[in-house]
């Protein structure tokens, strides 16, 4: 539809779904014109992606883990080629690879829902979107005031962030904090 191409935004009715097909058509139209969509891809890259996706349940892989997979199985050992491969898959939307900062480039997100789940523990309407919060654990940890500050003012300390993300490894916590800072979802106070 020619009229779809003249829109600068696409209204979608979230209860009926009206407008979704127009948005989908436009996304497909624009996608076909993207350089990376028509690029020939090495079968080694595709096989490496398949191996990475076998670990999708983890949410992310470290750059070191990706290097190990690429080198040991597919003989892709050149870091420049690995970065090019990850950038290509990022452009396709298959992984999240943020190479602009060293700290963000050390984690490759293979399951974007991992970021959404982690961030929604902190950034949400605490009344509308309830999550099972162990208030006893928060109190025993000495974080009750910090939790209340987060809920009431949206101000999060590093301690409360680490509490919410306590099941994550330190590299993931550093990535999440840097991601929040770089995307302006959080600022240092």
């Amino acid at each position: 539809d020619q009229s779809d191409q003249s829109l600068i935004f696409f209204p979608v009715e979230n209860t009926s779904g009206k407008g979704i097909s127009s948005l989908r058509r436009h996304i497909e139209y624009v996608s076909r014109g993207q350089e990376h969509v028509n690029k020939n891809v090495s079968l080694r890259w595709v096989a490496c992606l398949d191996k990475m996706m076998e670990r999708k349940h983890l949410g992310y892989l470290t750059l070191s883990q990706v290097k190990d997979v690429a080198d040991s199985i597919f003989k892709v050992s050149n870091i420049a080629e690995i970065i090019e491969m990850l950038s290509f898959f990022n452009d396709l939307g298959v992984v999240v690879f943020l190479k602009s900062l060293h700290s963000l480039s050390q984690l490759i997100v293979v399951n974007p829902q991992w970021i959404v789940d982690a961030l929604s523990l902190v950034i949400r309407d605490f009344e509308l979107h309830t999550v099972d919060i162990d208030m006893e654990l928060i109190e025993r940890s000495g974080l009750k005031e910090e939790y209340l500050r987060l809920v009431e003012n949206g101000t999060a300390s590093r301690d409360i962030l680490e509490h919410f993300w306590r099941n994550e490894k330190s590299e993931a916590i550093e990535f999440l904090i840097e991601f929040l800072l770089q995307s302006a979802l959080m600022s240092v106070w």
Side-chain angles (χ1 to χ4, degrees):
D1 186 339
Q2 189 64 26
S3 64
D4 288 354
Q5 295 175 21
S6 64
L7 292 175
I8 57 172
F9 75 96
F10 291 81
V12 174
E13 172 59 49
N14 65 352
T15 56
S16 68
K18 182 179 178 189
I20 290 177
S21 61
S22 176
L23 175 60
R24 184 176 291 129
R25 278 194 310 272
H26 191 71
I27 289 171
E28 289 173 1
Y29 170 78
V30 170
S31 296
R32 282 189 212 102
Q34 300 296 309
E35 179 183 328
H36 58 268
V37 171
N38 298 312
K39 182 177 178 177
N40 291 328
V41 181
S42 162
L43 287 177
R44 295 180 311 147
W45 286 15
V46 174
C48 189
L49 177 65
D50 288 343
K51 282 294 183 190
M52 290 167 53
M53 289 302 156
E54 287 177 7
R55 300 178 186 182
K56 190 172 184 173
H57 63 282
L58 300 173
Y60 65 89
L61 299 172
T62 64
L63 183 57
S64 175
Q65 289 170 319
V66 171
K67 287 179 190 175
D68 290 346
V69 167
D71 185 37
S72 67
I73 301 172
F74 305 107
K75 305 304 179 220
V76 178
S77 58
N78 179 332
I79 188 64
E81 183 179 2
I82 292 170
I83 299 297
E84 181 184 358
M85 174 186 74
L86 291 171
S87 296
F88 175 74
F89 290 139
N90 180 75
D91 289 346
L92 288 177
V94 182
V95 301
V96 177
F97 176 61
L98 305 170
K99 66 180 179 181
S100 60
L101 285 174
H102 177 76
S103 57
L104 291 176
S105 69
Q106 299 307 296
L107 247 65
I108 294 82
V109 179
V110 292
N111 183 358
Q113 190 64 44
W114 170 77
I115 294 177
V116 172
D117 292 344
L119 298 185
S120 66
L121 290 173
V122 179
I123 302 174
R124 62 189 165 94
D125 182 330
F126 284 85
E127 291 178 20
L128 183 61
H129 303 286
T130 59
V131 175
D132 289 333
I133 301 294
D134 186 345
M135 282 308 293
E136 288 181 25
L137 178 59
I138 288 175
E139 287 178 20
R140 281 194 315 268
S141 302
L143 297 171
K144 182 178 180 181
E145 286 188 29
E146 294 182 45
Y147 174 76
L148 293 174
R149 198 173 313 123
L150 173 63
V151 171
E152 294 168 6
N153 302 329
T155 305
S157 68
R158 181 170 184 105
D159 289 339
I160 199 71
L161 293 175
E162 288 180 358
H163 173 79
F164 278 118
W165 300 329
R166 65 189 173 277
N167 295 329
E168 298 293 344
K169 294 180 179 177
S170 61
E171 63 214 11
I173 292 172
E174 294 305 319
F175 174 88
L176 291 166
I177 290 172
E178 192 63 32
F179 181 82
L180 285 169
L181 289 168
Q182 293 303 316
S183 59
L185 291 171
M186 179 173 77
S187 63
V188 177
W189 185 257

